[in-house]
Amino acid sequence: MKLNKVEPKFISKSNPRIGLITLGSDFRIEKDFNNVIYGKDIDLYVNRIHCYNPLTNETLAKMADDITDVTKEILPNQKMECVAYGCTSGTVAVGYEAIRSKINLAKPDAKVTTPITSTIKALKKFDIKKISIFTPYTKTINDSVVNYFKKENISVNSLTYFDIASDLDIGKVDENYLFEVLSKIDLEDSGALFVSCTGLPVLSIIDKLEKKMKKIILSSNQTLIWDALNLVGNKKPVLGYGKIFEIN
């Protein structure tokens, strides 16, 4: 048998890389990321983190113990421009700085974004200081989310919620029913509606909601993706997923 050894040629430059840490029970977030970044010169790499039910501030904080190990396994020993932590209430429970430091232990050069901190950025971009909130959460988690916004000097005019204790059940919410529920929320005194939780099927209905309600609609996955794109230097407008993607 004749053997032919050929020298490989390697690429000299890679696309910007986004690492995504998603809950083990999240049905939605990868779909949303892929829908928005499709056709762009951006590479997405995902790893899942174990989550605990029922959802409480304590179980959400416990989940964060695994962040460094989960981050290490996203392209081990390779550079990542940005890492997105895909849990809104988990960020509220632990705090952004704790999450950032745990991620940077594994990926020291990576910029870090989360759903709640990216939402604060988006609200500041629009100069909105009064919002309404929708969540699927129970009362205890809702209280923590509301208090987070208050500490950021953002007034919460109203809170509407499902009171779901299991993350798996959140991912099974019907998209059309969610549109019905959200479209009935009174936003007269609010500059925006924030829909919390990466597991809800809301990104695909935001454009339709904004047109119907004549208000800014923000969601966990939407602002997380928007901020991640900004952090890797991709600020081109994206149509169909809300006004936040059109104002970069």
Side-chain angles (χ1 to χ4, degrees):
M1 180 178 69
K2 185 179 179 181
L3 299 178
N4 297 297
K5 181 182 176 182
V6 179
E7 289 298 319
K9 180 179 180 180
F10 300 108
I11 59 173
S12 57
K13 185 180 178 182
S14 63
N15 291 332
R17 295 168 177 167
I18 297 174
L20 172 62
I21 300 172
T22 177
L23 274 60
S25 55
D26 195 318
F27 293 94
R28 175 60 47 177
I29 193 168
E30 288 152 306
K31 290 180 184 177
D32 286 349
F33 258 92
N34 282 318
N35 283 338
V36 176
I37 70 172
Y38 178 78
K40 295 177 174 56
D41 293 328
I42 294 170
D43 294 335
L44 178 70
Y45 302 93
V46 184
N47 201 6
R48 289 184 170 250
I49 193 167
H50 182 73
C51 60
Y52 304 87
N53 285 301
L55 293 174
T56 65
N57 286 320
E58 290 72 30
T59 56
L60 289 165
K62 182 180 180 184
M63 182 173 65
D65 293 342
D66 298 329
I67 287 175
T68 302
D69 288 339
V70 169
T71 307
K72 280 179 183 175
E73 295 304 314
I74 305 175
L75 289 189
N77 303 314
Q78 297 297 303
K79 183 181 177 183
M80 197 72 54
E81 279 77 12
C82 172
V83 175
Y85 183 62
C87 187
T88 317
S89 51
T91 306
V92 172
V94 180
Y96 171 78
E97 284 303 323
I99 288 168
R100 184 196 58 76
S101 64
K102 288 174 184 290
I103 288 172
N104 285 152
L105 282 173
K107 303 287 184 184
D109 300 323
K111 296 171 183 175
V112 177
T113 183
T114 74
I116 197 79
T117 52
S118 60
T119 298
I120 298 297
K121 285 184 184 180
L123 290 169
K124 288 180 178 176
K125 192 88 171 173
F126 286 116
D127 194 27
I128 292 173
K129 296 181 173 63
K130 292 182 180 180
I131 64 170
S132 291
I133 296 175
F134 179 88
T135 89
Y137 312 134
T138 57
K139 183 182 183 304
T140 309
I141 297 176
N142 284 334
D143 290 344
S144 299
V145 172
V146 170
N147 288 334
Y148 189 97
F149 281 105
K150 287 181 177 177
K151 287 177 183 175
E152 294 289 334
N153 297 314
I154 295 167
S155 299
V156 178
N157 288 334
S158 69
L159 170 69
T160 308
Y161 63 102
F162 279 147
D163 195 24
I164 300 174
S166 167
D167 200 55
L168 284 166
D169 289 336
I170 291 172
K172 297 171 185 175
V173 168
D174 181 84
E175 182 179 300
N176 293 325
Y177 177 69
L178 182 61
F179 178 83
E180 260 183 68
V181 170
L182 296 177
S183 63
K184 291 175 182 174
I185 296 174
D186 183 1
L187 299 180
E188 184 178 352
D189 297 322
S190 298
L193 171 65
F194 170 58
V195 184
S196 186
C197 191
T198 62
L200 283 176
V202 64
L203 181 69
S204 56
I205 60 174
I206 285 178
D207 193 48
K208 191 164 61 165
L209 280 168
E210 286 189 335
K211 288 171 181 172
K212 178 169 182 157
M213 303 177 81
K214 311 298 183 192
K215 293 282 184 174
I216 299 298
I217 311 294
L218 301 173
S219 79
S220 292
N221 288 351
Q222 177 210 44
T223 62
L224 184 69
I225 298 165
W226 166 75
D227 195 33
L229 291 178
N230 282 342
L231 291 174
V232 300
N234 190 305
K235 299 188 177 185
K236 296 176 182 176
V238 180
L239 300 179
Y241 299 105
K243 287 187 171 57
I244 188 60
F245 282 110
E246 300 172 22
I247 65 166
N248 284 331

